[in-house]
Amino acid sequence: QRSAPLHWLALARAIAVTVAVLAVIEWVAGHAHLPGLTATYFDVVGRGGADRQMSVFALNLQPYLSALILIELVAWAIPAWRRRRLGSPADRRPIDLAVLLATVAIATLQSHFMWAFLAGAPDDVELVTPGALTHVAFIATAVAGVLALAVAARAITRWGLGHGVMVLLGFELARGWWKVRPHGEDDPQ
């Protein structure tokens, strides 16, 4: 009978960790933008979804998921890595490192192409501040955002409720649904 209150405390702690991580991500996404965006960007695109779309989490978990799938396929195809893939956490460490490096590479490429797209706007519209330093800061911040989400996903998996990647993806789906659902007349948007 003593284990029942401990079970509820563990569940409450897991829920609290999950909600806290999601709240921090939501707050940062609403307040921290990628560096180099000009006021013109927000005027042209509009403030509605632009704040979230160009936050430090603009790339979301896609580079991490792409790297994970790619490295798992490589590990499946190479016999020496296949044994590591199915081994202990210590055996998997090189595979996890490869996933991390591939995540950084994919996120770097994606954020560079985001920058190139924004910088390629017509001459009369300047969406990003030109310059190599701003370009590097834009890329570094986007990559850091992906890595922060990967760390948050691992924290939820370890101490929270559910698998962290699934929780974060489900949260994004719920946010998207809430944003596009039909609003009633007396329903606050």
Side-chain angles (χ1 to χ4, degrees), residues 3-165:
S3 64
L6 292 178
H7 175 71
W8 286 107
L9 286 175
L11 179 61
R13 188 194 82 222
I15 291 170
V17 166
T18 303
V19 170
V21 168
L22 292 176
V24 168
I25 289 170
E26 186 65 20
W27 186 85
V28 170
H31 291 84
H33 303 105
L34 291 169
L37 297 175
T38 63
T40 308
Y41 170 81
F42 293 104
D43 293 341
V44 170
V45 177
R47 286 249 178 223
D51 288 351
R52 179 94 177 161
Q53 290 172 352
M54 294 308 275
S55 78
V56 295
F57 302 131
L59 295 177
N60 209 330
L61 283 171
Q62 278 73 18
Y64 174 71
L65 293 173
S66 298
L68 191 62
I69 291 168
L70 177 69
I71 299 302
E72 285 295 327
L73 287 173
V74 169
W76 176 77
I78 300 173
W81 279 37
R82 191 176 313 146
R83 286 187 297 279
R84 288 187 177 279
R85 187 175 158 261
L86 301 174
S88 69
D91 293 338
R92 277 195 60 85
R93 201 161 285 131
I95 294 173
D96 292 341
L97 179 61
V99 169
L100 174 66
L101 295 174
T103 299
V104 169
I106 292 169
T108 300
L109 282 173
Q110 285 184 334
S111 57
H112 166 72
F113 289 127
M114 283 174 57
W115 173 270
F117 175 78
L118 293 170
D123 291 336
D124 59 333
V125 180
E126 190 173 86
L127 300 178
V128 290
T129 307
L133 187 59
T134 311
H135 186 180
V136 169
F138 184 93
I139 291 171
T141 305
V143 171
V146 172
L147 296 177
L149 287 176
V151 168
R154 287 208 173 204
I156 290 172
T157 299
R158 183 159 183 190
W159 298 296
L161 192 61
H163 190 282
V165 171

